[in-house]
Amino acid sequence: MSTPKFSRGQLNVFQTPDDVNRVTSALHGVGRKVALVPTMGALHDGHRELLRRAKRLPGTVVGASIFVNPLQFGEGEDFDAYPRPLEHDLEVLAEMGAELVFVPKVDDLYAPGHSVTVHPGPLGDELEGAARPGHFSGVLTVVSKLLNIVAPDYAFFGEKDYQQLVLVKRMVRELNIPTKVIGVSTVREHDGLALSSRNVYLSEEQRADAAVLAAALAAGAHAGQEGAEAVLSAARQTLAARPQVAVDYLELRGTDLGPAPVDGQARLLIAARVSRTRLIDNLPVLLGAGV
């Protein structure tokens, strides 16, 4: 079977797993490396930053995937309403210099009657996993498929979805998938709000309310030298100014999302609902003397 056409310097769109796999195999065969930015589309400046970081790798073909993954949406979540502006997304990818994009349909990744999924382990039932049962099994299943199909040397994920990043790195390590996973710092609006495809659901007033998430994280991080309780107290005080924002959780964890250390690097994570829109965010925190 012949390799599908691949034109260097322009965006090449592939739908089937076989087509994109043959292309990346051919690229590897001539010594090119491949970087993948997995997305669900509705691309924004956060995705642009992931692509920008991937473009810094010399001799690397930068690609993306666009797939709204049904397995990671629970009952009553916004799968049907999730934005799917494919034409806009392809324009963004071309503008950013991506050279390939994998745009599968659901049947391309999940055959009728499919039953095998990736279990995330205990961490998959905490934080976001507690609020969204089965979510991380869906995430890891589709990411494992994408990494196996595209076979990238590098994969880029944003730190906004920090628990996802930790679990993807763990899966890659424990399942011996030969892809280097690279996390990229969260991109924010001028008021600190983390960029998210779900921000489009917010009205102007709700958008102002949502900025309290980043403000609370920043207040908590600022109190890091005073210890864990001070971090959480400072964040809660900031959140109290916007009681209409319904906090799901506010937790301080270690960088691996285990228990927070007494001193050193930690992660402060938050999830909250602004009206009907659920938002998440996180920030690194240096506790105590940082030893």
Side-chain angles (χ1 to χ4, degrees), residues 40 67-73 79 110 135 138-143:
M40 292 207 302
F67 181 67
V68 183
N69 176 32
L71 263 64
Q72 68 192 69
F73 288 80
F79 175 71
Y110 302 119
H135 171 71
V139 169
L140 295 188
T141 298
V142 77
V143 171

Side-chain angles (χ1 to χ4, degrees), residues 228 252-255 259-266 287:
L252 185 65
R253 298 280 189 109
T255 55
V262 175
D263 292 297
Q265 294 290 340
L287 291 172

Side-chain angles (χ1 to χ4, degrees), residues 37 47-55 62-64 93 96 98:
V37 177
H47 297 107
R48 286 186 174 90
E49 181 60 19
L50 297 177
L51 293 160
R52 200 172 287 118
R53 285 288 303 276
K55 289 282 290 181
V62 174
L93 292 173
M96 295 302 299

Side-chain angles (χ1 to χ4, degrees), residues 217-265:
L217 294 175
H222 185 71
Q225 287 190 337
E226 300 172 42
E229 286 304 316
V231 169
L232 293 169
S233 177
R236 290 181 186 122
Q237 287 179 27
T238 301
L239 290 166
R242 298 274 183 170
Q244 62 271 43
V245 174
V247 177
D248 186 354
Y249 61 77
L250 173 71
E251 291 202 26
L252 185 65
R253 298 280 189 109
T255 55
D256 62 353
L257 296 185
V262 175
D263 292 297
Q265 294 290 340

Side-chain angles (χ1 to χ4, degrees), residues 14-62:
F14 303 101
Q15 178 183 314
T16 71
D18 284 347
D19 281 353
V20 74
N21 181 262
R22 287 201 298 273
V23 166
T24 57
S25 295
L27 290 168
H28 284 136
V30 295
R32 302 294 300 278
K33 293 187 180 296
V34 176
L36 179 69
V37 177
T39 83
M40 292 207 302
L43 303 185
H44 49 63
D45 284 348
H47 297 107
R48 286 186 174 90
E49 181 60 19
L50 297 177
L51 293 160
R52 200 172 287 118
R53 285 288 303 276
K55 289 282 290 181
R56 295 178 190 170
L57 298 170
T60 301
V61 173
V62 174

Side-chain angles (χ1 to χ4, degrees), residues 12 17 34 42 62 79 126 128 152 168 195 213 215 247 269 273 277:
N12 300 265
V34 176
V62 174
F79 175 71
E126 302 175 20
E128 283 302 284
V168 168
L195 289 181
L213 274 67
V247 177
L269 305 103
R273 289 192 180 274
T277 302

Side-chain angles (χ1 to χ4, degrees), residues 85-102:
L86 180 59
E87 184 175 341
H88 164 268
D89 291 342
L90 296 180
E91 290 174 357
V92 170
L93 292 173
E95 166 201 327
M96 295 302 299
E99 292 183 276
L100 69 85
V101 57
F102 179 38

